Amino acid sequence: MRLLPFAPDGPWRVSPRRPPACSSGSPALLVLLFLGFSQVVAGSRRPNVVLLLTDDQDEVLGGMTPLKKTKALIGEMGMTFSSAYVPTALCCPSRASILTGKYPHNHHVVNNTLEGNCSSSSWQKIQEPNTFPAILRSMCGYQTFFAGKYLNEYGAPGTGGLEHVPPGWTYWYALEKNSKYYNYTLSINGKARKHGENYSVDYLTDVLANISLDFLDYKSNSEPFFMMISTPAPHSPWTAAPQYQKSFQNVFAPRDKNFNIHGMNKHWLIRQAKTPMSNSSIQFLDNAFRRRWQTLLSVDDLVEKLIKRLEFHGELDNTYIFYTSDNGYHTGQFSLPIDKRQLYEFDIKVPLLVRGPGIKPNQTSKMLVANIDLGPTILDIAGYDVNKTQMDGMSFLPILRGTSNVTWRSDILVEYQGEGHNVSDPTCPSVGPGVSQCFPDCVCEDAYNNTYACVRTMSALWNLQYCEFDDQEVFVEVYNLTADPHQITNIAKTIDPELLGKMNYRLMMLQSCSGPTCRTPGVFDPGYRFDPRLMFSNHGSVRTRRFSKHIL
C-alpha cells in the first residue's frame, strides 16, 4: 500500500525564505535550508526520530521479556532507563502527557471518556495545536508520520469523527477509538478504511509495520522525519498472531511477594479485594498474562523490520529510536485481578529504551524520567528551544549523550482521578455505588474516591513514594522502596513527621505546577527551599479540585 501525504501538495516543505526555528548545529545546513536547496544528504540533516509506543506494557512484571530482538536492537545498542514512569496509569491521560509534555492537571485529560477530555473538542482546540509533533512540523520542517492507536475516543462522531486529522501530521493512519487486532477502522489521512479478520491483510500490528515500511520507502529525502508507531499490543483483547498463539504455554504471572496477598494498611479500594483469590481468578489472570506476551512477539517483529529498513535506506545512524509504553499493568498484585490505574510501581513504571547518534551501547541509566520528558527530548534533538514551550517535562538528551554533571530532578508527580458508577452493580449489591471496573467475584479496580496524587522521589539517599487520596479521610500511603520494593508496608504512621510534612508541601506544589515550576528542586535536593507561593496557582488553592467527577 503506497502512502499518500495528508497535504495535497505533498509533505510540508521548508520555506525558502525562512529557515526552521530549530538549530541543526550545522551552519552549512542552515545555509542550505535558507537557500532552499532540497537535496540534503542524510549525514548532514537533522536527526530523524522514531517513537514506538505499546499499550499497557508493564516493566515491573517482566513485560520486556518476550521482546528479545527489541532489547538487542535498541536496548543493547543504546540506553535502557530503569526508572521510567508515567504521570498517570491510564491510557488516554498518559498519551496526552506524551504528546503535550504536560502533567494531567495541565492538559486536563483525566480519563478515557469524552467527558474526561479524551480527544474532546476542547482537547482538539486547546492542546492539539501545541503538541510536540505539531511543533516539529510547523517550526522544524519535519515530515511527521503517525500509525496506530491515538487516543481512546479518537473518531467519535461528535468531535469530527475519523475526518479529523490533528494539526502537525503529514501522514495519518489512526485507529478508531481503542485497541483492537481485527475488525477495526483506520483514518487514512481523514478517510475511513475498514479492516476485517483476515490475518494476512488485517492483523493490526502487522498492518502498522507495513505502513511504516512504506513510509520509509516513499518519504521525501530532503527533510528529516518523525514517526510515531502506536501498537495495540499488549492491550486486551490480547489476540496474538496465529503463529504465536501457542507460545509461552508454561509461563504464568509472576508470584512476587505482593501477589495474591491482602493489601493491609492501604486505601479501602485495595483492601476490598478478596484474598486469597479464587482458582478461577488466578487461571484467568495467568491466561491474560500469557496472551499479553504472545501479542508482543509481533511487536518484536515490527521493531526488527523497521530497523532493517532504516539501515537499508542509510538512515539508521542518523535516527533516534525510542521504545516505551503508555502505562504499566498488574496481574494479581494485592489480589487485584488485572488492570492498571493504581499508584504502585507495577502500574506507573514503564519500559524505556533509546538508541541513536551519540548514545553509547549497553548503557543503563537510573535517572528518574517520565513520559512528559519525551516531547522536550525529541524537540531538543530537532534543535528546538524547549523553553519556548509550556511543557512540564525536561529534555534527557544530555543523559543520552553522557554529558557530565547533568543537573536533574529527584521527583515527579503521579496523579489520577478515580471513576465510578452512581448506582450499585445489581450483581454485587454489597459493594454499593461509586465503584467501577468490577469483576464477577465483586472485586472492583476503581472508584470515585480512588483519586490520588503522589510524589515519587529518587535521590542518592531516598527512594520514596508519598501519596494522598482525595477522600473524606485524606488517606495517606508512604513507601520506602529501598527496604520494601514490593510496597507491602505503608509507613505513613511511622515515618518521621517532619519528613512527612515536607513531602506534603512538595506534593501540593507539584499539583499546582506549570512549566518551569514543575522542575524546581525536590525535598532531597541541595537547592530545595519551601516557598508557600508555589503552592498556589492562578486558579486558587491547590486543594481545590480542578475537574468534576464524571459518571461513567
Side-chain angles (χ1 to χ4, degrees), residues 466 491-505:
Y466 172 90
I491 60 173
K493 294 183 178 180
T494 60
I495 195 170
D496 179 1
E498 182 180 354
L499 177 57
L500 203 66
K502 286 183 178 180
M503 298 301 289
N504 170 263
Y505 289 137

Side-chain angles (χ1 to χ4, degrees), residues 382-398:
Y384 188 79
D385 183 358
V386 180
N387 292 322
K388 293 180 180 179
T389 73
Q390 298 298 314
M391 295 183 176
D392 303 331
M394 305 171 64
S395 169
F396 55 83
L397 183 58

Side-chain angles (χ1 to χ4, degrees), residues 287-527:
N287 184 54
F289 187 90
R290 189 177 304 116
R291 292 174 66 189
R292 282 164 51 81
W293 276 22
Q294 291 170 356
T295 67
L296 286 168
L297 293 175
S298 292
V299 177
D300 210 29
D301 293 340
L302 182 158
V303 171
E304 180 184 41
K305 293 174 185 176
L306 185 76
I307 289 177
K308 284 183 176 180
R309 192 64 57 92
L310 285 166
E311 187 172 30
F312 175 79
H313 288 293
E315 299 279 11
L316 184 59
D317 291 342
N318 194 40
T319 301
Y320 287 88
I321 304 174
F322 295 73
Y323 182 99
T324 192
S325 172
D326 57 1
N327 49 254
Y329 208 70
H330 58 257
T331 49
Q333 286 61 49
F334 303 121
S335 298
L336 297 172
I338 58 167
D339 199 28
K340 49 264 188 176
R341 295 179 168 84
Q342 309 306 331
L343 58 86
Y344 308 104
E345 295 283 282
F346 42 73
D347 282 1
I348 64 173
K349 196 173 184 181
V350 293
L352 178 58
L353 290 68
V354 190
R355 68 171 287 174
I359 304 176
K360 295 179 181 179
N362 283 309
Q363 293 189 89
T364 298
S365 173
K366 296 181 180 179
M367 302 298 269
L368 180 63
V369 297
N371 69 6
I372 58 170
D373 301 327
L374 291 171
T377 302
I378 292 170
L379 290 176
D380 197 8
I381 288 170
Y384 188 79
D385 183 358
V386 180
N387 292 322
K388 293 180 180 179
T389 73
Q390 298 298 314
M391 295 183 176
D392 303 331
M394 305 171 64
S395 169
F396 55 83
L397 183 58
I399 297 173
L400 293 173
R401 290 177 172 169
T403 304
S404 59
N405 300 319
V406 175
T407 300
W408 197 249
R409 67 155 75 88
S410 64
D411 60 20
I412 59 168
L413 174 68
V414 178
E415 50 190 348
Y416 177 73
Q417 181 168 311
E419 298 177 87
H421 298 286
N422 65 338
V423 295
S424 297
D425 187 330
T427 62
C428 299
S430 62
V431 176
V435 296
S436 64
Q437 308 297 321
C438 297
F439 284 83
D441 56 0
C442 299
V443 174
C444 300
E445 297 267 6
D446 206 2
Y448 278 138
N449 66 3
N450 187 40
T451 295
Y452 59 80
C454 308
V455 182
R456 182 68 179 91
T457 297
M458 298 183 71
S459 68
L461 298 176
W462 292 95
N463 186 5
L464 289 177
Q465 186 174 18
Y466 172 90
C467 302
E468 291 183 10
F469 284 83
D470 186 13
D471 57 13
Q472 291 183 346
E473 57 179 330
V474 191
F475 193 83
V476 175
E477 294 189 26
V478 184
Y479 299 98
N480 177 352
L481 282 98
T482 300
D484 181 20
H486 295 99
Q487 297 171 289
I488 294 171
T489 304
N490 178 8
I491 60 173
K493 294 183 178 180
T494 60
I495 195 170
D496 179 1
E498 182 180 354
L499 177 57
L500 203 66
K502 286 183 178 180
M503 298 301 289
N504 170 263
Y505 289 137
R506 180 63 177 167
L507 176 60
M508 288 193 288
M509 193 286 292
L510 286 175
Q511 283 183 281
S512 186
C513 76
S514 179
T517 60
C518 297
R519 304 187 289 271
T520 55
V523 168
F524 302 108
D525 291 328

Side-chain angles (χ1 to χ4, degrees), residues 9-221:
D9 56 348
W12 186 87
R13 304 295 183 190
V14 176
S15 168
R17 298 181 180 177
R18 181 175 63 87
C22 303
S23 170
S24 67
S26 169
L29 178 57
L30 287 177
V31 171
L32 285 171
L33 290 168
F34 185 76
L35 295 175
F37 292 135
S38 60
Q39 298 300 317
V40 182
V41 295
S44 63
R45 202 176 60 205
R46 280 164 292 144
N48 312 305
V49 182
V50 176
L51 173 58
L52 295 152
L53 179 65
T54 56
D55 197 353
D56 285 1
Q57 184 182 359
D58 69 275
E59 192 276 337
V60 172
L61 302 180
M64 284 300 299
T65 303
L67 293 129
K68 294 180 179 179
K69 292 180 281 192
T70 299
K71 289 187 290 184
L73 292 170
I74 303 180
E76 293 176 15
M77 297 302 294
M79 183 175 288
T80 299
F81 286 83
S82 61
S83 302
Y85 290 84
V86 295
T88 190
L90 190 62
C91 300
C92 199
S94 180
R95 288 163 181 264
S97 287
I98 292 173
L99 291 164
T100 63
K102 296 177 181 179
Y103 284 120
H105 70 261
N106 286 327
H107 61 57
H108 308 299
V109 178
V110 298
N111 58 42
N112 291 341
T113 69
L114 284 174
E115 295 81 7
N117 205 30
C118 180
S119 200
S120 68
S121 297
S122 175
W123 158 265
Q124 294 174 7
K125 179 180 179 181
I126 298 172
Q127 301 298 337
E128 278 187 343
N130 299 303
T131 61
F132 80 85
I135 296 172
L136 283 177
R137 184 183 179 193
S138 65
M139 303 304 294
C140 304
Y142 272 67
Q143 301 168 83
T144 52
F145 167 92
F146 182 88
K149 175 181 171 179
Y150 178 55
L151 300 175
N152 295 56
E153 285 294 331
Y154 172 73
T159 57
L162 295 175
E163 293 77 20
H164 172 70
V165 177
W169 296 104
T170 317
Y171 301 88
W172 180 253
Y173 288 74
L175 177 68
E176 180 183 29
K177 297 198 174 182
N178 206 0
S179 285
K180 292 183 177 180
Y181 299 82
Y182 294 110
N183 298 310
Y184 56 85
T185 302
L186 293 179
S187 170
I188 312 296
N189 296 325
K191 304 290 186 182
R193 177 179 294 172
K194 293 185 179 295
H195 281 260
E197 50 189 18
N198 182 339
Y199 168 72
S200 63
V201 295
D202 295 318
Y203 189 69
L204 182 55
T205 305
D206 291 354
V207 168
L208 300 181
N210 293 334
I211 294 172
S212 301
L213 299 181
D214 282 348
F215 169 77
L216 292 175
D217 289 342
Y218 298 118
K219 65 177 177 57
S220 167
N221 291 321

